[in-house]
Amino acid sequence: MESFSSFKISKQLQYAIEDLGYENPTPIQSQSFPVIQSGKDMVGIAQTGTGKTFAYMLPILQGLTFSNQLQPRVLVIVPTRELVIQVVEEIEKFAKYMTVRVIGVYGGVNINRQKEAVSLGTDIIVATPGRLYDLVLSRALQLKSVKKLVIDEVDVMLDLGFRFQLINIFELLPSRRQNVMFSATMTADVNELIHDFFQAPSTISVAVSGTPLDNISQYCYSVPNFYTKANLLKHLLQDSEVFRKTLVFVSNKKSADLLFEELESYFTTEVAVIHSNKTQNYRIRSIENFNEEKTRILVTTDIMARGLDLNLISHVINFDTPAFPENYMHRIGRTGRAEQEGTSLLFSTIAEQPTKEAIEELMGIEIPIIEMPSEIEISKKLTYDEQPKLKEGYNPIKDGGEGKGFHEKKDKNNKVNKGGSYKRIIKKKYKKPKTKGDKNFNKRNKNK
Ligand code: AMP
């Protein structure tokens, strides 16, 4: 195993590692160090508990020279206030023997104290997106010196609807910077963000810890559509002795709600659903009930399930086939823990066949197909997403004769990205001195 000494790090960081009692780097730390140190963009697929905070902070701290400039050179964006506090505390421990200034800012508390703290200068700022943006708009903070951007828990951030806020922040950063992001799960949204804003990033994915695949029996049902899948699921779940504690995965909130509706009419209080649009209290209660075996069936999205400590799950049902094979590994790893045997069932449509094959390739094994019981009703009903989308028929005026446009596109329709579009939108939106610093703004306008 690699040791920290092969990293070539400063004495100060070595002493901090000794104090923390870390003996060897974790896999995500070993793999991220050379990439982040090289200055390349990086995407890390790793869950909490893998040592990811130190994985990005170690190379960043190693490269951070002493400075007393006011504006931060390192920006770490995280989704929640709790995580800001935790990350700041960790950085303080890592940088114990260095002269590094770090500040955490988050919403829900008075902004003025944070403005004051920021005005004294910092090297590293750890922030939630909304508060960071407010601080910049109020001119308390400038991001022009940021050389390294880290976004942690991107999947959670996008699931909470922060995409637009992240893009706004990107616009305020210098274009020459290093981007590092961490996500526990890969989702279509995360993939899109990487594609749009990262430059040829290296992707590092750490193996899912814990469950050996040998403990999990895996099977697949070939099922034509959502509602037939729901019929099959209802049929299987009737056997409450076999399906003692079942976690049902779907890829998004919409499907989670739709499926929950279907199941609730059958299983009433035996079933619950969690996803990020449910209130925190509701989620906590649902998880507690499931853990105490008051509910037997829990429907969840990939993002919500991450980080949950759920023990002794008898079955994982993959109601859809995850588009990113790693998510399948995360899902099935919820069962077969602590030497217990677990079962995973995959429901796959023909359209999902290529993703099923990608999963099999990753695992190096084929998932055996079992026949659907003959009594399952094949539904003809399709969800909105399953319905074939109507294509407009051939229209000679719109499409032009022989497939060619018969006039040039008007200038305004020739979409060329001139860059800075968000800046323009923001400028328009905030052109008045809406800055919270202008105390007389309202007074002046009242008198008009
Ligand atoms: P994280 O994934 O960043 O939330 O880290 C999870 C926990 O692992 C934290 O409590 C860290 O202090 C700890 N940790 C990080 N790196 C190491 C390491 N190399 N050896 C032992 N523990 C570590």
Side-chain angles (χ1 to χ4, degrees):
M1 191 192 274
E2 207 174 358
S3 79
F4 280 113
S5 54
S6 59
F7 280 178
K8 300 208 171 46
I9 43 175
S10 68
K11 279 270 176 294
Q12 288 93 326
L13 282 166
Q14 282 174 27
Y15 295 147
I17 291 172
E18 273 170 34
D19 284 1
L20 284 161
Y22 299 171
E23 286 176 6
N24 292 304
T26 63
I28 190 78
Q29 290 165 4
S30 302
Q31 293 175 54
S32 309
F33 190 84
V35 179
I36 297 179
Q37 205 175 34
S38 75
K40 261 181 78 97
D41 282 3
M42 192 196 98
V43 177
I45 305 295
Q47 287 178 296
T48 301
T50 51
K52 62 188 165 74
T53 317
F54 199 40
Y56 61 78
M57 274 330 297
L58 182 62
I60 288 179
L61 287 172
Q62 173 61 29
L64 199 64
T65 50
F66 173 81
S67 163
N68 45 23
Q69 86 172 59
L70 293 181
Q71 302 304 337
R73 290 170 288 161
V74 178
L75 168 62
V76 182
I77 309 179
V78 299
T80 62
R81 149 198 185 143
E82 289 76 18
L83 205 55
V84 169
I85 296 168
Q86 190 186 318
V87 169
V88 167
E89 277 173 11
E90 294 224 19
I91 296 175
E92 280 167 351
K93 286 185 209 153
F94 305 149
K96 186 173 164 190
Y97 299 102
M98 298 172 68
T99 314
V100 169
R101 298 159 300 170
V102 53
I103 289 180
V105 293
Y106 43 80
V109 292
N110 190 305
I111 197 169
N112 290 331
R113 284 179 66 179
Q114 293 180 356
K115 278 186 190 169
E116 272 168 37
V118 167
S119 71
L120 297 174
T122 188
D123 298 302
I124 303 173
I125 184 153
V126 184
T128 50
R131 180 51 57 99
L132 181 79
Y133 198 61
D134 286 346
L135 284 166
V136 176
L137 284 186
S138 69
R139 302 213 185 91
L141 178 68
Q142 262 193 36
L143 298 176
K144 284 283 167 235
S145 305
V146 171
K147 299 274 189 310
K148 293 187 191 288
L149 167 70
V150 180
I151 318 176
D152 200 358
E153 305 211 345
V154 185
D155 47 354
V156 179
M157 204 122 43
L158 295 178
D159 200 47
L160 291 172
F162 285 149
R163 182 185 157 86
F164 189 67
Q165 270 158 316
L166 282 179
I167 296 170
N168 279 343
I169 293 167
F170 293 163
E171 290 281 333
L172 302 167
L173 296 170
S175 53
R176 274 176 64 88
R177 62 171 195 267
Q178 182 181 20
N179 300 299
V180 175
M181 80 155 69
F182 282 88
S183 184
T185 47
M186 196 59 179
T187 65
D189 287 347
V190 173
N191 202 33
E192 198 182 312
L193 193 79
I194 295 168
H195 183 261
D196 290 352
F197 295 99
F198 278 43
Q199 286 176 4
S202 299
T203 303
I204 293 176
S205 183
V206 290
V208 186
S209 60
T211 321
L213 285 180
D214 296 349
N215 286 0
I216 309 165
S217 313
Q218 301 180 55
Y219 302 100
C220 175
Y221 285 100
S222 191
V223 197
N225 53 38
F226 183 94
Y227 286 104
T228 311
K229 285 180 176 182
N231 291 343
L232 171 63
L233 186 59
K234 284 183 231 168
H235 173 84
L236 294 172
L237 291 176
Q238 276 167 21
D239 191 340
S240 59
E241 274 179 30
V242 173
F243 290 84
R244 276 179 294 107
K245 197 172 178 191
T246 304
L247 197 56
V248 183
F249 279 100
V250 285
S251 57
N252 60 58
K253 303 176 222 186
K254 206 163 84 184
S255 306
D257 282 332
L258 208 56
L259 179 60
F260 177 67
E261 257 174 50
E262 287 288 309
L263 295 178
E264 201 188 15
S265 52
Y266 262 67
F267 298 105
T268 59
T269 54
E270 280 187 290
V271 58
V273 60
I274 50 167
H275 57 63
S276 55
N277 279 7
K278 299 282 172 198
T279 64
Q280 177 128 359
N281 279 344
Y282 179 94
R283 293 192 317 235
I284 292 172
R285 210 171 342 111
S286 301
I287 293 158
E288 272 174 11
N289 285 344
F290 188 61
N291 271 337
E292 291 166 11
E293 307 199 3
K294 286 183 190 150
T295 42
R296 180 168 68 89
I297 307 152
L298 185 64
V299 178
T300 179
T301 57
D302 291 294
I303 294 169
M304 209 10 73
R306 131 214 165 280
L308 295 186
D309 195 15
L310 302 170
N311 266 333
L312 304 179
I313 305 259
S314 67
H315 289 74
V316 164
I317 311 263
N318 299 277
F319 193 80
D320 51 28
T321 308
F324 297 96
E326 287 84 2
N327 290 357
Y328 178 80
M329 307 295 281
H330 284 296
R331 288 175 174 191
I332 68 166
R334 291 322 192 117
T335 184
R337 288 200 166 171
E339 310 290 306
Q340 298 275 328
E341 299 281 309
T343 305
S344 160
L345 301 177
L346 174 64
F347 293 2
S348 235
T349 62
I350 292 173
E352 289 173 321
Q353 193 60 27
T355 43
K356 175 178 174 256
E357 282 163 17
I359 292 166
E360 292 176 326
E361 202 180 315
L362 180 73
M363 290 192 297
I365 51 170
E366 270 187 31
I367 310 170
I369 296 192
I370 43 179
E371 277 292 308
M372 200 162 57
S374 54
E375 59 264 48
I376 306 297
E377 190 195 329
I378 307 290
S379 176
K380 293 250 176 348
K381 192 171 150 192
L382 297 177
T383 62
Y384 177 78
D385 291 335
E386 284 171 342
Q387 287 163 24
K389 300 288 169 284
L390 277 181
K391 283 211 177 96
E392 248 183 75
Y394 175 68
N395 176 343
I397 296 177
K398 219 171 156 196
D399 300 345
E402 294 169 30
K404 279 188 184 169
F406 58 76
H407 59 74
E408 289 293 316
K409 278 184 181 175
K410 281 195 177 140
D411 273 355
K412 72 177 171 66
N413 293 333
N414 258 327
K415 270 196 184 165
V416 175
N417 186 352
K418 296 189 180 117
S421 58
Y422 282 107
K423 261 189 202 152
R424 283 197 298 274
I425 293 167
I426 288 159
K427 228 182 199 165
K428 213 164 141 195
K429 194 166 160 200
Y430 294 103
K431 65 179 181 251
K432 280 276 166 217
K434 227 180 177 177
T435 64
K436 291 160 193 167
D438 186 354
K439 294 201 181 83
N440 296 324
F441 177 64
N442 286 335
K443 225 190 276 167
R444 261 202 322 270
N445 284 286
K446 219 189 316 179
N447 301 335
K448 269 184 192 166

